[in-house]
């Protein structure tokens, strides 16, 4: 990290700690000129919201989403377009750009998002699911998604409970675990681009595991009632979800076979 970037980062934090949003924005603009990281635009958007500059904040979130989309980070882009649309539901640019994500190379060709340096690859990536949707199915599916931020330690899904909502992680991570003979058994840790919750929907059975936020985590949820309405209008979406689920089950079986003695 360059000395200039370090200094600017320190300045930004200093002004944020003082709630001096205008000065923080000035320093973040300088920081972005040195390191054009989309997350800097997100933080500028957050600062704009603190200043009650909603329209300017929306522009920043859309700009950050566009940058992520250009790099192939479909899920990050999707989350930020949803943030922008939560603030301004009529924002045409955000809506059109979100719909265009279906033609993003990560979805249409590679069926895989680029891997970030130092970050583990998702184990249940949503990209193959998106790839099997038609453009109209994709658009209807993502329109139903609601973005939410979950604090660390909060349980998102309880094992044994009924529920058909499905979730996509866009930031942070969650722990998946079950109970066996009164003891907790950890099953997995899911990260951005991982997708979960579809098993209960497809089987009609109670949740098979507990899912808990391991840190502050952003999720895109398709609520149960919205999902049921979506399936009633586009029944093939359920078929795609079933195919996605079966593909993951086969992958798990092959991995188990590969490590068996």
């Amino acid at each position: 990290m360059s000395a200039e970037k370090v200094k600017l980062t320190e300045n930004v934090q200093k002004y944020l700690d003082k709630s001096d949003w205008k000065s923080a924005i000035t320093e973040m603009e300088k920081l972005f000129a040195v390191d054009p990281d989309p997350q800097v635009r997100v933080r500028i958007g957050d600062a704009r919201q603190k200043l009650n500059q909603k329209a300017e904040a929306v522009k920043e979130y859309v700009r950050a989403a566009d940058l992520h989309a250009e790099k192939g980070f479909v899920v990050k882009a999707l989350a930020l377009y949803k943030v922008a649309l939560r603030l301004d539901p009529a924002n045409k640019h955000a809506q059109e750009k979100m719909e265009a994500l279906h033609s993003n190379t990560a979805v249409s060709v590679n069926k895989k998002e680029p891997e970030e340096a130092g970050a583990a690859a998702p184990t249940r990536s949503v990209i193959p699911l998106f790839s099997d949707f038609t453009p109209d199915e994709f658009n209807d599916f993502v329109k139903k998604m609601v973005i939410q931020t979950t604090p660390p330690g909060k349980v998102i899904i309880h094992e044994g409970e009924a529920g058909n909502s499905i979730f996509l992680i866009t930031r942070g991570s969650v722990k998946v675990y079950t109970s066996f003979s009164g003891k907790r058994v950890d099953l997995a840790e899911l990260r951005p681009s991982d997708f979960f919750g579809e098993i209960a929907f497809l089987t009609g059975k109670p949740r098979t595991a507990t899912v808990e936020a391991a840190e502050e985590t952003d999720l895109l949820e398709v609520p149960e009632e919205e999902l049921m309405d979506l399936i009633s209008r586009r029944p093939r979406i359920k078929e795609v979800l079933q195919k996605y689920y079966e593909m993951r089950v086969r992958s798990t079986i092959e991995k188990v076979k590969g490590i068996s003695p």
Side-chain angles (χ1 to χ4, degrees):
M1 185 182 294
S2 68
E4 183 180 8
K5 182 178 176 181
V6 170
K7 182 61 177 176
L8 288 170
T9 301
E10 290 174 349
N11 288 345
V12 168
Q13 193 58 53
K14 177 182 69 176
Y15 289 124
L16 290 176
D17 290 342
K18 295 179 180 179
S19 299
D20 185 349
W21 313 118
K22 290 183 178 180
S23 297
I25 289 171
T26 298
E27 292 302 297
M28 283 190 281
E29 291 288 4
K30 296 176 184 177
L31 179 59
F32 186 79
V34 173
D35 178 20
D37 183 347
Q39 189 58 31
V40 176
R41 305 310 319 177
V42 175
R43 297 182 74 189
I44 293 174
D46 294 342
R48 293 289 185 192
Q49 282 206 73
K50 296 291 187 181
L51 292 168
N52 294 317
Q53 298 172 349
K54 187 174 77 170
E56 290 81 358
V58 168
K59 289 179 182 178
E60 293 296 346
Y61 295 135
V62 171
R63 184 176 177 184
D66 289 346
L67 291 170
H68 278 309
E70 289 170 8
K71 296 179 179 181
F73 291 105
V74 172
V75 173
K76 290 179 181 292
L78 174 59
L80 287 167
Y81 289 134
K82 295 297 285 190
V83 170
L85 288 167
R86 182 172 59 189
L87 293 172
D88 180 11
N91 190 288
K92 188 175 180 181
H93 179 78
Q95 188 63 54
E96 290 176 349
K97 289 287 189 173
M98 186 173 71
E99 293 176 0
L101 287 175
H102 188 265
S103 61
N104 189 284
T105 302
V107 175
S108 64
V109 179
N110 294 333
K111 298 187 179 182
K112 181 180 179 181
E113 290 188 299
E115 293 184 13
E116 291 188 282
T123 59
R124 302 177 179 180
S125 174
V126 75
I127 299 302
L129 175 70
F130 285 168
S131 297
D132 278 345
F133 284 153
T134 66
D136 287 343
E137 289 167 347
F138 172 82
N139 293 338
D140 279 356
F141 189 81
V142 298
K143 283 177 183 176
K144 294 294 186 182
M145 288 181 158
V146 178
I147 191 163
Q148 56 181 273
T149 298
T150 305
K154 181 177 179 180
V155 173
I156 302 158
I157 287 176
H158 289 270
E159 181 179 6
E161 288 188 348
N164 288 325
S165 294
I166 54 181
F167 302 85
L168 169 60
I169 303 171
T170 67
R171 180 180 66 91
S173 61
V174 303
K175 296 177 181 178
V176 184
Y177 57 89
T178 187
S179 296
F180 183 75
S181 298
K183 295 182 179 180
R184 169 171 161 167
V185 179
D186 291 324
L187 301 175
E189 182 170 330
L190 306 182
R191 302 173 181 85
S193 294
D194 279 334
F195 186 69
F196 64 92
E198 80 285 359
I199 296 176
F201 170 72
L202 292 170
T203 64
K205 296 179 180 179
R207 299 294 192 183
T208 58
T210 295
V211 180
E212 176 186 309
E215 57 189 305
E216 184 174 88
T217 300
D218 289 339
L219 299 166
L220 285 169
E221 176 188 3
V222 184
E224 179 177 352
E225 62 275 11
E226 297 287 358
L227 184 58
M228 298 304 292
D229 174 68
L230 181 60
I231 296 298
S232 69
R233 292 185 294 103
R234 294 193 179 276
R236 202 186 80 89
I237 286 180
K238 185 173 183 178
E239 296 175 14
V240 175
L241 284 167
Q242 183 70 40
K243 177 183 175 182
Y244 169 86
Y245 166 63
E246 291 173 354
M247 177 187 68
R248 287 207 292 107
V249 170
R250 286 196 300 270
S251 176
T252 300
I253 291 173
E254 289 302 316
K255 288 179 181 178
V256 171
K257 286 181 179 179
I259 63 175
S260 297

